[in-house]
Each structure stands twice: as structure tokens, then as C-alpha cells.
Amino acid sequence: MTGKVWLTGAGPGAPDLLTVRAMRLLQQADIVFHDALVNPEIVAIAAGAERVAVGKRCGRHSTAQRFINKRLVDAATTHRTIVRLKGGDPMLFGRAQEEIDALLAAGVEIEVVPGVTSALAASADTLRSLTARGLSRSVTFVTPRVGAGEDRSNWLHAAAAADTAVIYMGSHEAAAIGAALIAAGRDPAAPAVLIEQASLPARQVLPGTLATLGAAASRLSGGPALIVVGENFRAVAARMAVDAVPLQLAEPASGASSRRQA
Ligand code: SAH
């Protein structure tokens, strides 16, 4: 094995929310395997690398996990710096463990580079803290989504028990999620907010309650979205515009010096 795999978080979408480490790795990579949902602007930072889209496109065909594992292992025999780029943080609902285990079993060197998970971008976009003194001392990250052949998830217990629940991969069944939480004992008037495309210019924040989640979800435009439920999200105002920080960091160091001379 000649190569090392860097399992890297791409953050929630805005390129300037990449970590500096992730950006350096993208600039140095020989090959990048990225999830289909990663912002193309971020993938483009790896200008000198072979770029391969694999897997994870909500509801559409995605490369089988076993095949992704194999491609990563194979790449380690032919490339030196291999970046496996996943949305948000790779260790949260990213099937990172399967890839880590496959690489370890094959004797491939691997390192994980954390990223900003979308829950944190959603909290930022709403200006509401996931925790709040006296209101929220517990946060849970859940998903109702289960893979083929998996047992039913017990996400509902966790989501009903936590002060703040962040629900990943649930926006397509938002009405059912609202109803399930109400049936599990949560107040139908409990604040529930949908945040679509958190951190990006096209973001949408749709505030409401558990009872109105379904209606709010009908206003989504098909991008990735989270549901956040919790008392501290009562005061959320609908917001759309984002003042994005221009992505100057992404310019290669050599370009910067030649511009200084110009
Ligand atoms: N590892 C990722 C999550 C992957 S699961 C992370 O840490 O964020 C994919 C789900 O993440 C989507 O269905 C959606 O619920 C959520 N998601 C990802 N990016 C998002 C974004 N920019 N805004 C809102 N939700 C997002």
C-alpha cells in the first residue's frame, strides 16, 4: 500500500465552512472520492486531482457501499493522497464506520478530518442555540431512516426525550415525524423548524410547530433539510439571505504570490 486515505468532512455546504485542513488536503489530493451531494465549488478546490462522484444522492441511485469501500482500498495501491469527502462531518450519519473498517482490514492507513455538521449550521442560520440555560440541556441527533435489512430505529424515544432534537434525513416524511412525536407525548405546539440548505445562499428557514411540520415541508425546494424540535426554537423568524464570506482561502498559494507581483 502506498497511499493514505483521509476521510474528510466537507461541512454543511458553504465552501468557507471547510476546515483549513480539509482545504489543504483537497489542494494536495491525487484523487478525491466525493458524495454526490457535496457542493461542486468545494470539489473544484481539488483542481489537480482526479475527482470521482460516489454514492449518497437522496432517493436516487447511489454507488453500493461495498463498491465504494473497494475503490478506496484499490486507490491506496495506485495513489498517495486519497481524499474521501463527505458532507458535514463524516462521523455523523455518513457511513464512515463501514469505510474505516474496510480500510483498516485491508491495511490501508487512514485518518479522519472532522467537518461542521449540518445541525450546527442550522443552529447558526436560525440564531437559536441548540442548548439554552433553563430551556435545553440535552441535544440529540437522530434519523428515522434505516437501511435495507436493518432493524427499526428507536429514534423516536431519543427525539421525544431530548430537550432539542435534530432530525437528519427526515424532511420527506416531516408530517409523519410530527405526528409520531405528538403520539409519543410531545406537545403539538412544540416549536419545530425545517432548515433547508443550511449555510448556503439558497437556504430556507421554515418555522412552525410539530402540528404544522407537514405544511411547512410542502414549501421545501428539494435540497437537504433538517428538522429541529425544541423550546428554544420558538422565536425563530423565517430568514433566507446569507452574507457569505468570499472564498479567498481556496486559491492555491502559488497563485497568491504571482498576483502580488502583478
Ligand atoms: N454527515 C452529514 C449528514 C449526512 S445525512 C452531516 O454531518 O451533516 C444527510 C442529511 O443531512 C440530509 O438528509 C439532511 O437532513 C442533512 N443535511 C446535510 N446538509 C444539510 C444542509 N446544508 N442543510 C440542512 N440539512 C442538511
Side-chain angles (χ1 to χ4, degrees), residues 11-14 35 37 58 86-94 115-119 121-122 125 145 167-172 195-200 223-227:
D35 283 356
L37 283 172
C58 235
K86 288 171 178 280
D89 183 275
M91 304 302 239
L92 205 48
F93 303 125
V116 176
T117 189
S118 47
D125 281 356
R145 179 77 70 85
I167 303 166
Y168 286 70
M169 291 180 274
S171 59
H172 296 295
I195 301 107
E196 181 178 35
Q197 306 229 60
S199 84
L200 289 164
L226 289 166
I227 301 168

PDB file of all heavy atoms in Angstrom, residues 11-14 35 37 58 86-94 115-119 121-122 125 145 167-172 195-200 223-227, ligand 1:
ATOM      1  N   GLY A  11     -18.204  19.805   5.471  1.00  0.00           N
ATOM      2  CA  GLY A  11     -19.035  20.843   6.082  1.00  0.00           C
ATOM      3  C   GLY A  11     -20.418  20.873   5.461  1.00  0.00           C
ATOM      4  O   GLY A  11     -20.746  20.080   4.582  1.00  0.00           O
ATOM      5  N   PRO A  12     -21.238  21.821   5.905  1.00  0.00           N
ATOM      6  CA  PRO A  12     -22.659  21.810   5.540  1.00  0.00           C
ATOM      7  C   PRO A  12     -22.953  22.284   4.125  1.00  0.00           C
ATOM      8  O   PRO A  12     -24.063  22.127   3.638  1.00  0.00           O
ATOM      9  CB  PRO A  12     -23.272  22.766   6.555  1.00  0.00           C
ATOM     10  CG  PRO A  12     -22.164  23.700   6.915  1.00  0.00           C
ATOM     11  CD  PRO A  12     -20.915  22.881   6.869  1.00  0.00           C
ATOM     12  N   GLY A  13     -21.991  22.892   3.457  1.00  0.00           N
ATOM     13  CA  GLY A  13     -22.255  23.339   2.081  1.00  0.00           C
ATOM     14  C   GLY A  13     -21.458  24.568   1.702  1.00  0.00           C
ATOM     15  O   GLY A  13     -20.835  24.595   0.641  1.00  0.00           O
ATOM     16  N   ALA A  14     -21.458  25.594   2.535  1.00  0.00           N
ATOM     17  CA  ALA A  14     -20.712  26.812   2.204  1.00  0.00           C
ATOM     18  C   ALA A  14     -19.221  26.468   2.145  1.00  0.00           C
ATOM     19  O   ALA A  14     -18.682  25.922   3.108  1.00  0.00           O
ATOM     20  CB  ALA A  14     -20.959  27.888   3.257  1.00  0.00           C
ATOM     21  N   ASP A  35     -19.079  12.414  -2.142  1.00  0.00           N
ATOM     22  CA  ASP A  35     -20.506  12.151  -2.211  1.00  0.00           C
ATOM     23  C   ASP A  35     -21.122  13.085  -3.240  1.00  0.00           C
ATOM     24  O   ASP A  35     -20.679  14.221  -3.407  1.00  0.00           O
ATOM     25  CB  ASP A  35     -21.160  12.378  -0.846  1.00  0.00           C
ATOM     26  CG  ASP A  35     -20.899  11.223   0.110  1.00  0.00           C
ATOM     27  OD1 ASP A  35     -20.276  10.233  -0.311  1.00  0.00           O
ATOM     28  OD2 ASP A  35     -21.330  11.325   1.264  1.00  0.00           O
ATOM     29  N   LEU A  37     -23.657  14.763  -3.099  1.00  0.00           N
ATOM     30  CA  LEU A  37     -24.277  15.969  -2.548  1.00  0.00           C
ATOM     31  C   LEU A  37     -23.282  17.048  -2.146  1.00  0.00           C
ATOM     32  O   LEU A  37     -23.671  18.152  -1.791  1.00  0.00           O
ATOM     33  CB  LEU A  37     -25.134  15.609  -1.325  1.00  0.00           C
ATOM     34  CG  LEU A  37     -26.492  14.977  -1.634  1.00  0.00           C
ATOM     35  CD1 LEU A  37     -27.161  14.497  -0.354  1.00  0.00           C
ATOM     36  CD2 LEU A  37     -27.398  15.956  -2.364  1.00  0.00           C
ATOM     37  N   CYS A  58     -29.820  11.546  -2.216  1.00  0.00           N
ATOM     38  CA  CYS A  58     -31.081  11.184  -1.556  1.00  0.00           C
ATOM     39  C   CYS A  58     -32.106  10.625  -2.546  1.00  0.00           C
ATOM     40  O   CYS A  58     -32.498  11.299  -3.474  1.00  0.00           O
ATOM     41  CB  CYS A  58     -31.640  12.407  -0.847  1.00  0.00           C
ATOM     42  SG  CYS A  58     -31.927  12.080   0.875  1.00  0.00           S
ATOM     43  N   LYS A  86     -17.004  13.730   2.450  1.00  0.00           N
ATOM     44  CA  LYS A  86     -18.415  13.511   2.788  1.00  0.00           C
ATOM     45  C   LYS A  86     -19.018  14.790   3.327  1.00  0.00           C
ATOM     46  O   LYS A  86     -18.332  15.562   3.997  1.00  0.00           O
ATOM     47  CB  LYS A  86     -18.530  12.442   3.881  1.00  0.00           C
ATOM     48  CG  LYS A  86     -18.230  11.034   3.413  1.00  0.00           C
ATOM     49  CD  LYS A  86     -18.157  10.111   4.603  1.00  0.00           C
ATOM     50  CE  LYS A  86     -17.916   8.682   4.190  1.00  0.00           C
ATOM     51  NZ  LYS A  86     -19.125   8.006   3.728  1.00  0.00           N
ATOM     52  N   GLY A  87     -20.297  14.988   3.109  1.00  0.00           N
ATOM     53  CA  GLY A  87     -20.964  16.198   3.593  1.00  0.00           C
ATOM     54  C   GLY A  87     -20.942  16.303   5.107  1.00  0.00           C
ATOM     55  O   GLY A  87     -20.934  15.289   5.814  1.00  0.00           O
ATOM     56  N   GLY A  88     -20.916  17.511   5.609  1.00  0.00           N
ATOM     57  CA  GLY A  88     -20.971  17.728   7.050  1.00  0.00           C
ATOM     58  C   GLY A  88     -19.769  17.136   7.743  1.00  0.00           C
ATOM     59  O   GLY A  88     -18.626  17.340   7.326  1.00  0.00           O
ATOM     60  N   ASP A  89     -20.013  16.391   8.803  1.00  0.00           N
ATOM     61  CA  ASP A  89     -18.964  15.632   9.471  1.00  0.00           C
ATOM     62  C   ASP A  89     -19.087  14.175   9.047  1.00  0.00           C
ATOM     63  O   ASP A  89     -20.189  13.641   9.017  1.00  0.00           O
ATOM     64  CB  ASP A  89     -19.115  15.736  10.998  1.00  0.00           C
ATOM     65  CG  ASP A  89     -17.981  14.999  11.684  1.00  0.00           C
ATOM     66  OD1 ASP A  89     -18.090  13.768  11.876  1.00  0.00           O
ATOM     67  OD2 ASP A  89     -16.961  15.640  11.982  1.00  0.00           O
ATOM     68  N   PRO A  90     -17.954  13.545   8.722  1.00  0.00           N
ATOM     69  CA  PRO A  90     -18.065  12.181   8.209  1.00  0.00           C
ATOM     70  C   PRO A  90     -18.580  11.178   9.245  1.00  0.00           C
ATOM     71  O   PRO A  90     -19.131  10.149   8.876  1.00  0.00           O
ATOM     72  CB  PRO A  90     -16.630  11.828   7.787  1.00  0.00           C
ATOM     73  CG  PRO A  90     -15.749  12.834   8.435  1.00  0.00           C
ATOM     74  CD  PRO A  90     -16.575  14.043   8.697  1.00  0.00           C
ATOM     75  N   MET A  91     -18.407  11.503  10.538  1.00  0.00           N
ATOM     76  CA  MET A  91     -18.729  10.530  11.584  1.00  0.00           C
ATOM     77  C   MET A  91     -20.183  10.610  12.041  1.00  0.00           C
ATOM     78  O   MET A  91     -20.574   9.955  12.993  1.00  0.00           O
ATOM     79  CB  MET A  91     -17.802  10.734  12.790  1.00  0.00           C
ATOM     80  CG  MET A  91     -16.333  10.660  12.452  1.00  0.00           C
ATOM     81  SD  MET A  91     -15.879   9.084  11.709  1.00  0.00           S
ATOM     82  CE  MET A  91     -14.642   8.550  12.900  1.00  0.00           C
ATOM     83  N   LEU A  92     -20.981  11.427  11.369  1.00  0.00           N
ATOM     84  CA  LEU A  92     -22.385  11.559  11.764  1.00  0.00           C
ATOM     85  C   LEU A  92     -23.254  11.240  10.554  1.00  0.00           C
ATOM     86  O   LEU A  92     -23.265  12.000   9.573  1.00  0.00           O
ATOM     87  CB  LEU A  92     -22.626  12.992  12.246  1.00  0.00           C
ATOM     88  CG  LEU A  92     -23.764  13.248  13.222  1.00  0.00           C
ATOM     89  CD1 LEU A  92     -23.770  12.272  14.386  1.00  0.00           C
ATOM     90  CD2 LEU A  92     -23.660  14.662  13.752  1.00  0.00           C
ATOM     91  N   PHE A  93     -23.934  10.122  10.608  1.00  0.00           N
ATOM     92  CA  PHE A  93     -24.817   9.675   9.521  1.00  0.00           C
ATOM     93  C   PHE A  93     -24.096   9.682   8.174  1.00  0.00           C
ATOM     94  O   PHE A  93     -24.677  10.059   7.151  1.00  0.00           O
ATOM     95  CB  PHE A  93     -26.085  10.535   9.468  1.00  0.00           C
ATOM     96  CG  PHE A  93     -26.858  10.534  10.764  1.00  0.00           C
ATOM     97  CD1 PHE A  93     -27.186  11.720  11.400  1.00  0.00           C
ATOM     98  CD2 PHE A  93     -27.228   9.342  11.364  1.00  0.00           C
ATOM     99  CE1 PHE A  93     -27.881  11.719  12.607  1.00  0.00           C
ATOM    100  CE2 PHE A  93     -27.915   9.330  12.584  1.00  0.00           C
ATOM    101  CZ  PHE A  93     -28.242  10.524  13.196  1.00  0.00           C
ATOM    102  N   GLY A  94     -22.842   9.280   8.189  1.00  0.00           N
ATOM    103  CA  GLY A  94     -22.065   9.300   6.958  1.00  0.00           C
ATOM    104  C   GLY A  94     -21.545   7.928   6.546  1.00  0.00           C
ATOM    105  O   GLY A  94     -20.759   7.831   5.612  1.00  0.00           O
ATOM    106  N   GLY A 115     -15.654  17.668  10.186  1.00  0.00           N
ATOM    107  CA  GLY A 115     -16.266  18.798   9.472  1.00  0.00           C
ATOM    108  C   GLY A 115     -17.403  19.372  10.295  1.00  0.00           C
ATOM    109  O   GLY A 115     -17.820  18.786  11.288  1.00  0.00           O
ATOM    110  N   VAL A 116     -17.904  20.509   9.869  1.00  0.00           N
ATOM    111  CA  VAL A 116     -19.040  21.132  10.558  1.00  0.00           C
ATOM    112  C   VAL A 116     -20.308  20.384  10.149  1.00  0.00           C
ATOM    113  O   VAL A 116     -20.682  20.395   8.975  1.00  0.00           O
ATOM    114  CB  VAL A 116     -19.181  22.618  10.169  1.00  0.00           C
ATOM    115  CG1 VAL A 116     -20.428  23.220  10.822  1.00  0.00           C
ATOM    116  CG2 VAL A 116     -17.935  23.401  10.579  1.00  0.00           C
ATOM    117  N   THR A 117     -20.924  19.746  11.097  1.00  0.00           N
ATOM    118  CA  THR A 117     -22.141  19.003  10.763  1.00  0.00           C
ATOM    119  C   THR A 117     -23.305  19.968  10.507  1.00  0.00           C
ATOM    120  O   THR A 117     -23.335  21.085  11.027  1.00  0.00           O
ATOM    121  CB  THR A 117     -22.497  17.985  11.862  1.00  0.00           C
ATOM    122  OG1 THR A 117     -23.564  17.158  11.375  1.00  0.00           O
ATOM    123  CG2 THR A 117     -22.946  18.659  13.153  1.00  0.00           C
ATOM    124  N   SER A 118     -24.255  19.533   9.694  1.00  0.00           N
ATOM    125  CA  SER A 118     -25.321  20.444   9.267  1.00  0.00           C
ATOM    126  C   SER A 118     -26.175  20.940  10.436  1.00  0.00           C
ATOM    127  O   SER A 118     -26.747  22.026  10.359  1.00  0.00           O
ATOM    128  CB  SER A 118     -26.183  19.794   8.187  1.00  0.00           C
ATOM    129  OG  SER A 118     -26.538  18.485   8.531  1.00  0.00           O
ATOM    130  N   ALA A 119     -26.264  20.174  11.508  1.00  0.00           N
ATOM    131  CA  ALA A 119     -27.049  20.634  12.667  1.00  0.00           C
ATOM    132  C   ALA A 119     -26.486  21.947  13.205  1.00  0.00           C
ATOM    133  O   ALA A 119     -27.235  22.836  13.627  1.00  0.00           O
ATOM    134  CB  ALA A 119     -27.037  19.581  13.771  1.00  0.00           C
ATOM    135  N   ALA A 121     -24.769  24.196  11.475  1.00  0.00           N
ATOM    136  CA  ALA A 121     -25.063  25.266  10.511  1.00  0.00           C
ATOM    137  C   ALA A 121     -26.526  25.694  10.631  1.00  0.00           C
ATOM    138  O   ALA A 121     -26.854  26.875  10.507  1.00  0.00           O
ATOM    139  CB  ALA A 121     -24.762  24.787   9.099  1.00  0.00           C
ATOM    140  N   ALA A 122     -27.408  24.733  10.888  1.00  0.00           N
ATOM    141  CA  ALA A 122     -28.829  25.052  11.025  1.00  0.00           C
ATOM    142  C   ALA A 122     -29.057  25.919  12.262  1.00  0.00           C
ATOM    143  O   ALA A 122     -29.831  26.891  12.233  1.00  0.00           O
ATOM    144  CB  ALA A 122     -29.648  23.764  11.126  1.00  0.00           C
ATOM    145  N   ASP A 125     -27.897  29.351  11.412  1.00  0.00           N
ATOM    146  CA  ASP A 125     -28.791  30.051  10.479  1.00  0.00           C
ATOM    147  C   ASP A 125     -30.059  30.555  11.147  1.00  0.00           C
ATOM    148  O   ASP A 125     -30.694  31.499  10.666  1.00  0.00           O
ATOM    149  CB  ASP A 125     -29.181  29.122   9.316  1.00  0.00           C
ATOM    150  CG  ASP A 125     -28.079  29.027   8.273  1.00  0.00           C
ATOM    151  OD1 ASP A 125     -27.063  29.726   8.424  1.00  0.00           O
ATOM    152  OD2 ASP A 125     -28.243  28.257   7.308  1.00  0.00           O
ATOM    153  N   ARG A 145     -34.423   7.247   9.302  1.00  0.00           N
ATOM    154  CA  ARG A 145     -34.068   6.448   8.121  1.00  0.00           C
ATOM    155  C   ARG A 145     -33.313   5.184   8.532  1.00  0.00           C
ATOM    156  O   ARG A 145     -32.363   5.247   9.303  1.00  0.00           O
ATOM    157  CB  ARG A 145     -33.179   7.297   7.209  1.00  0.00           C
ATOM    158  CG  ARG A 145     -32.696   6.633   5.957  1.00  0.00           C
ATOM    159  CD  ARG A 145     -33.757   6.551   4.893  1.00  0.00           C
ATOM    160  NE  ARG A 145     -34.076   7.849   4.335  1.00  0.00           N
ATOM    161  CZ  ARG A 145     -33.390   8.418   3.339  1.00  0.00           C
ATOM    162  NH1 ARG A 145     -32.366   7.807   2.808  1.00  0.00           N
ATOM    163  NH2 ARG A 145     -33.759   9.593   2.882  1.00  0.00           N
ATOM    164  N   ILE A 167     -33.245  16.270  13.600  1.00  0.00           N
ATOM    165  CA  ILE A 167     -33.621  15.078  12.834  1.00  0.00           C
ATOM    166  C   ILE A 167     -33.051  15.176  11.427  1.00  0.00           C
ATOM    167  O   ILE A 167     -33.413  16.064  10.645  1.00  0.00           O
ATOM    168  CB  ILE A 167     -35.155  14.917  12.805  1.00  0.00           C
ATOM    169  CG1 ILE A 167     -35.678  14.860  14.257  1.00  0.00           C
ATOM    170  CG2 ILE A 167     -35.558  13.667  12.021  1.00  0.00           C
ATOM    171  CD1 ILE A 167     -37.175  15.037  14.386  1.00  0.00           C
ATOM    172  N   TYR A 168     -32.117  14.273  11.136  1.00  0.00           N
ATOM    173  CA  TYR A 168     -31.473  14.207   9.824  1.00  0.00           C
ATOM    174  C   TYR A 168     -32.282  13.294   8.910  1.00  0.00           C
ATOM    175  O   TYR A 168     -32.877  12.311   9.361  1.00  0.00           O
ATOM    176  CB  TYR A 168     -30.060  13.615   9.953  1.00  0.00           C
ATOM    177  CG  TYR A 168     -29.009  14.512  10.562  1.00  0.00           C
ATOM    178  CD1 TYR A 168     -29.034  14.847  11.909  1.00  0.00           C
ATOM    179  CD2 TYR A 168     -27.961  15.008   9.788  1.00  0.00           C
ATOM    180  CE1 TYR A 168     -28.052  15.655  12.467  1.00  0.00           C
ATOM    181  CE2 TYR A 168     -26.965  15.813  10.340  1.00  0.00           C
ATOM    182  CZ  TYR A 168     -27.019  16.141  11.675  1.00  0.00           C
ATOM    183  OH  TYR A 168     -26.044  16.934  12.231  1.00  0.00           O
ATOM    184  N   MET A 169     -32.229  13.557   7.622  1.00  0.00           N
ATOM    185  CA  MET A 169     -32.839  12.686   6.608  1.00  0.00           C
ATOM    186  C   MET A 169     -34.319  12.432   6.886  1.00  0.00           C
ATOM    187  O   MET A 169     -34.803  11.329   6.676  1.00  0.00           O
ATOM    188  CB  MET A 169     -32.085  11.346   6.532  1.00  0.00           C
ATOM    189  CG  MET A 169     -30.696  11.482   5.952  1.00  0.00           C
ATOM    190  SD  MET A 169     -29.819   9.907   5.859  1.00  0.00           S
ATOM    191  CE  MET A 169     -29.104   9.822   7.495  1.00  0.00           C
ATOM    192  N   GLY A 170     -35.013  13.453   7.347  1.00  0.00           N
ATOM    193  CA  GLY A 170     -36.416  13.246   7.704  1.00  0.00           C
ATOM    194  C   GLY A 170     -37.382  14.165   6.995  1.00  0.00           C
ATOM    195  O   GLY A 170     -38.598  14.045   7.157  1.00  0.00           O
ATOM    196  N   SER A 171     -36.873  15.098   6.183  1.00  0.00           N
ATOM    197  CA  SER A 171     -37.779  16.128   5.662  1.00  0.00           C
ATOM    198  C   SER A 171     -38.833  15.561   4.711  1.00  0.00           C
ATOM    199  O   SER A 171     -39.910  16.130   4.561  1.00  0.00           O
ATOM    200  CB  SER A 171     -36.981  17.241   4.980  1.00  0.00           C
ATOM    201  OG  SER A 171     -36.223  16.720   3.918  1.00  0.00           O
ATOM    202  N   HIS A 172     -38.532  14.416   4.078  1.00  0.00           N
ATOM    203  CA  HIS A 172     -39.519  13.838   3.152  1.00  0.00           C
ATOM    204  C   HIS A 172     -40.706  13.232   3.891  1.00  0.00           C
ATOM    205  O   HIS A 172     -41.733  12.961   3.299  1.00  0.00           O
ATOM    206  CB  HIS A 172     -38.871  12.768   2.274  1.00  0.00           C
ATOM    207  CG  HIS A 172     -37.812  13.329   1.379  1.00  0.00           C
ATOM    208  ND1 HIS A 172     -38.091  14.228   0.377  1.00  0.00           N
ATOM    209  CD2 HIS A 172     -36.470  13.162   1.369  1.00  0.00           C
ATOM    210  CE1 HIS A 172     -36.967  14.585  -0.225  1.00  0.00           C
ATOM    211  NE2 HIS A 172     -35.970  13.950   0.379  1.00  0.00           N
ATOM    212  N   ILE A 195     -34.967  23.472   8.296  1.00  0.00           N
ATOM    213  CA  ILE A 195     -33.889  24.298   7.752  1.00  0.00           C
ATOM    214  C   ILE A 195     -33.322  23.562   6.535  1.00  0.00           C
ATOM    215  O   ILE A 195     -32.813  22.455   6.646  1.00  0.00           O
ATOM    216  CB  ILE A 195     -32.772  24.554   8.779  1.00  0.00           C
ATOM    217  CG1 ILE A 195     -33.334  25.259  10.002  1.00  0.00           C
ATOM    218  CG2 ILE A 195     -31.673  25.429   8.162  1.00  0.00           C
ATOM    219  CD1 ILE A 195     -33.442  24.398  11.211  1.00  0.00           C
ATOM    220  N   GLU A 196     -33.493  24.190   5.390  1.00  0.00           N
ATOM    221  CA  GLU A 196     -33.052  23.579   4.132  1.00  0.00           C
ATOM    222  C   GLU A 196     -31.801  24.303   3.641  1.00  0.00           C
ATOM    223  O   GLU A 196     -31.727  25.524   3.711  1.00  0.00           O
ATOM    224  CB  GLU A 196     -34.181  23.718   3.097  1.00  0.00           C
ATOM    225  CG  GLU A 196     -33.855  23.102   1.750  1.00  0.00           C
ATOM    226  CD  GLU A 196     -35.032  23.218   0.772  1.00  0.00           C
ATOM    227  OE1 GLU A 196     -35.758  24.237   0.808  1.00  0.00           O
ATOM    228  OE2 GLU A 196     -35.226  22.287  -0.017  1.00  0.00           O
ATOM    229  N   GLN A 197     -30.840  23.541   3.138  1.00  0.00           N
ATOM    230  CA  GLN A 197     -29.612  24.125   2.579  1.00  0.00           C
ATOM    231  C   GLN A 197     -28.940  25.078   3.558  1.00  0.00           C
ATOM    232  O   GLN A 197     -28.540  26.193   3.185  1.00  0.00           O
ATOM    233  CB  GLN A 197     -29.912  24.867   1.272  1.00  0.00           C
ATOM    234  CG  GLN A 197     -30.633  23.994   0.283  1.00  0.00           C
ATOM    235  CD  GLN A 197     -29.996  24.039  -1.072  1.00  0.00           C
ATOM    236  OE1 GLN A 197     -28.822  23.682  -1.225  1.00  0.00           O
ATOM    237  NE2 GLN A 197     -30.718  24.462  -2.077  1.00  0.00           N
ATOM    238  N   ALA A 198     -28.837  24.639   4.794  1.00  0.00           N
ATOM    239  CA  ALA A 198     -28.200  25.457   5.824  1.00  0.00           C
ATOM    240  C   ALA A 198     -26.824  25.904   5.347  1.00  0.00           C
ATOM    241  O   ALA A 198     -26.119  25.156   4.676  1.00  0.00           O
ATOM    242  CB  ALA A 198     -28.059  24.643   7.116  1.00  0.00           C
ATOM    243  N   SER A 199     -26.494  27.132   5.638  1.00  0.00           N
ATOM    244  CA  SER A 199     -25.196  27.768   5.337  1.00  0.00           C
ATOM    245  C   SER A 199     -25.069  28.270   3.896  1.00  0.00           C
ATOM    246  O   SER A 199     -24.115  28.946   3.570  1.00  0.00           O
ATOM    247  CB  SER A 199     -23.991  26.855   5.656  1.00  0.00           C
ATOM    248  OG  SER A 199     -23.714  25.959   4.574  1.00  0.00           O
ATOM    249  N   LEU A 200     -26.017  27.922   3.047  1.00  0.00           N
ATOM    250  CA  LEU A 200     -25.905  28.295   1.631  1.00  0.00           C
ATOM    251  C   LEU A 200     -26.819  29.473   1.285  1.00  0.00           C
ATOM    252  O   LEU A 200     -27.814  29.717   1.963  1.00  0.00           O
ATOM    253  CB  LEU A 200     -26.255  27.088   0.757  1.00  0.00           C
ATOM    254  CG  LEU A 200     -25.170  26.010   0.809  1.00  0.00           C
ATOM    255  CD1 LEU A 200     -25.694  24.686   0.277  1.00  0.00           C
ATOM    256  CD2 LEU A 200     -23.939  26.466   0.031  1.00  0.00           C
ATOM    257  N   GLY A 223     -33.866  20.524  -1.551  1.00  0.00           N
ATOM    258  CA  GLY A 223     -32.491  20.425  -1.063  1.00  0.00           C
ATOM    259  C   GLY A 223     -32.436  19.663   0.245  1.00  0.00           C
ATOM    260  O   GLY A 223     -33.482  19.358   0.822  1.00  0.00           O
ATOM    261  N   PRO A 224     -31.217  19.355   0.724  1.00  0.00           N
ATOM    262  CA  PRO A 224     -31.117  18.670   2.013  1.00  0.00           C
ATOM    263  C   PRO A 224     -31.683  19.555   3.126  1.00  0.00           C
ATOM    264  O   PRO A 224     -31.469  20.764   3.131  1.00  0.00           O
ATOM    265  CB  PRO A 224     -29.614  18.455   2.199  1.00  0.00           C
ATOM    266  CG  PRO A 224     -28.965  19.437   1.290  1.00  0.00           C
ATOM    267  CD  PRO A 224     -29.914  19.667   0.146  1.00  0.00           C
ATOM    268  N   ALA A 225     -32.423  18.942   4.031  1.00  0.00           N
ATOM    269  CA  ALA A 225     -33.069  19.717   5.090  1.00  0.00           C
ATOM    270  C   ALA A 225     -33.081  18.951   6.401  1.00  0.00           C
ATOM    271  O   ALA A 225     -33.124  17.718   6.415  1.00  0.00           O
ATOM    272  CB  ALA A 225     -34.505  20.056   4.684  1.00  0.00           C
ATOM    273  N   LEU A 226     -33.018  19.711   7.475  1.00  0.00           N
ATOM    274  CA  LEU A 226     -33.089  19.159   8.827  1.00  0.00           C
ATOM    275  C   LEU A 226     -34.365  19.635   9.487  1.00  0.00           C
ATOM    276  O   LEU A 226     -34.887  20.711   9.158  1.00  0.00           O
ATOM    277  CB  LEU A 226     -31.939  19.691   9.676  1.00  0.00           C
ATOM    278  CG  LEU A 226     -30.527  19.210   9.390  1.00  0.00           C
ATOM    279  CD1 LEU A 226     -29.545  20.128  10.107  1.00  0.00           C
ATOM    280  CD2 LEU A 226     -30.351  17.786   9.857  1.00  0.00           C
ATOM    281  N   ILE A 227     -34.834  18.837  10.451  1.00  0.00           N
ATOM    282  CA  ILE A 227     -35.927  19.275  11.320  1.00  0.00           C
ATOM    283  C   ILE A 227     -35.333  19.472  12.710  1.00  0.00           C
ATOM    284  O   ILE A 227     -34.638  18.581  13.207  1.00  0.00           O
ATOM    285  CB  ILE A 227     -37.043  18.212  11.384  1.00  0.00           C
ATOM    286  CG1 ILE A 227     -37.593  17.934   9.985  1.00  0.00           C
ATOM    287  CG2 ILE A 227     -38.149  18.648  12.344  1.00  0.00           C
ATOM    288  CD1 ILE A 227     -38.488  16.701   9.911  1.00  0.00           C
TER     289      ILE A 227
HETATM  290  N1  SAH B   1     -22.689  13.815   7.638  1.00  0.00           N
HETATM  291  C1  SAH B   1     -23.721  14.806   7.348  1.00  0.00           C
HETATM  292  C2  SAH B   1     -25.117  14.213   7.356  1.00  0.00           C
HETATM  293  C3  SAH B   1     -25.360  13.215   6.238  1.00  0.00           C
HETATM  294  S1  SAH B   1     -27.019  12.628   6.199  1.00  0.00           S
HETATM  295  C4  SAH B   1     -23.595  15.950   8.359  1.00  0.00           C
HETATM  296  O1  SAH B   1     -22.796  15.854   9.297  1.00  0.00           O
HETATM  297  O2  SAH B   1     -24.287  16.952   8.214  1.00  0.00           O
HETATM  298  C5  SAH B   1     -27.756  13.749   5.056  1.00  0.00           C
HETATM  299  C6  SAH B   1     -28.734  14.642   5.772  1.00  0.00           C
HETATM  300  O3  SAH B   1     -28.042  15.714   6.396  1.00  0.00           O
HETATM  301  C7  SAH B   1     -29.749  15.317   4.880  1.00  0.00           C
HETATM  302  O4  SAH B   1     -30.844  14.476   4.611  1.00  0.00           O
HETATM  303  C8  SAH B   1     -30.161  16.493   5.736  1.00  0.00           C
HETATM  304  O5  SAH B   1     -31.065  16.087   6.743  1.00  0.00           O
HETATM  305  C9  SAH B   1     -28.855  16.855   6.411  1.00  0.00           C
HETATM  306  N2  SAH B   1     -28.141  17.946   5.717  1.00  0.00           N
HETATM  307  C10 SAH B   1     -26.956  17.879   5.082  1.00  0.00           C
HETATM  308  N3  SAH B   1     -26.579  19.089   4.640  1.00  0.00           N
HETATM  309  C11 SAH B   1     -27.545  19.958   5.008  1.00  0.00           C
HETATM  310  C12 SAH B   1     -27.737  21.362   4.873  1.00  0.00           C
HETATM  311  N4  SAH B   1     -26.838  22.145   4.263  1.00  0.00           N
HETATM  312  N5  SAH B   1     -28.858  21.911   5.392  1.00  0.00           N
HETATM  313  C13 SAH B   1     -29.759  21.162   6.028  1.00  0.00           C
HETATM  314  N6  SAH B   1     -29.641  19.825   6.196  1.00  0.00           N
HETATM  315  C14 SAH B   1     -28.548  19.235   5.707  1.00  0.00           C
END
